[in-house]
Amino acid sequence: MFNTNKTLHMALTMLFKKVYPDFASSCLAKDRKEISFIGRDYCCQSVMEAFCCEDQEKKTPAFVLGKLFDCGALAQSTFDQYLGISNESEDSRDKALEATYDLVMGLSLFDEFYFVPEIPEIKENAIREVLAYLEKEGISIGDDGRLVDIMTVCYDVFILGAVCVNN
């Protein structure tokens, strides 16, 4: 059976390598299991928020993906900062995960937080490329889209934000 979700993920990975040449090496350079855990939960929360939003300007794919990119960058940066001040204690990763998780999960997709990574051109280029690819493939990440596709795109953009920050 053909796995369209895996194909979508692989296509997005190729797009990310195009807009951020260090994407593959940056992904391999850091263990992001904690950020992946946060991303899965936050993306689920965000997708549901976007479905329920009545403000059409704020629920556009570009807006949602931009916020998810920023939140991925925020999650990675915050986690790294917590680890940096933890003095390498035995449970430092667990404490950093808990604190970062609480911070990120407390954010609404529509909060007016403005965490702008040092690389805004990567964010803009990546989102433009993702939206063009989705349009070409006939994939919708709006209210009429398949949830599995929406989740794949949102999660991948969140992780791209995490990969791009602090590298």
Side-chain angles (χ1 to χ4, degrees), residues 15-122:
L15 286 175
F16 296 159
K17 288 178 185 176
K18 180 179 163 187
V19 298
Y20 184 53
D22 294 335
F23 180 74
S25 60
S26 293
C27 280
L28 297 173
K30 187 178 277 195
D31 178 10
R32 289 192 169 75
K33 67 181 181 243
E34 291 89 356
I35 303 306
S36 295
F37 174 75
I38 294 168
R40 282 189 300 269
D41 284 0
Y42 187 73
C43 288
C44 287
Q45 173 182 307
S46 298
V47 167
M48 294 304 111
E49 269 191 288
F51 278 135
C52 295
C53 181
E54 294 182 16
D55 184 347
Q56 294 302 312
E57 288 181 19
K58 286 190 174 180
K59 70 185 295 180
T60 65
F63 178 87
V64 171
L65 294 179
K67 288 291 205 159
L68 286 167
F69 180 98
D70 289 348
C71 202
L74 175 65
Q76 183 67 63
S77 178
T78 302
F79 183 75
D80 290 344
Q81 288 176 4
Y82 279 124
L83 277 181
I85 60 173
S86 69
N87 297 325
E88 302 295 321
S89 65
E90 192 174 296
D91 59 350
S92 61
R93 289 191 83 79
D94 291 339
K95 287 182 178 179
L97 170 61
E98 184 179 339
T100 304
Y101 184 89
D102 289 346
L103 172 82
V104 172
M105 293 306 291
L107 296 171
S108 166
L109 184 64
F110 304 110
D111 281 346
E112 296 297 324
F113 70 94
Y114 292 101
F115 176 80
V116 180
E118 300 280 327
I119 31 60
E121 70 280 354
I122 293 173

Side-chain angles (χ1 to χ4, degrees), residues 137-155:
E137 295 297 319
I139 298 170
S140 174
I141 59 167
D143 292 349
D144 59 343
R146 290 177 7 131
L147 185 57
V148 67
D149 294 340
I150 294 167
M151 291 305 299
T152 297
V153 173
C154 289
Y155 175 78

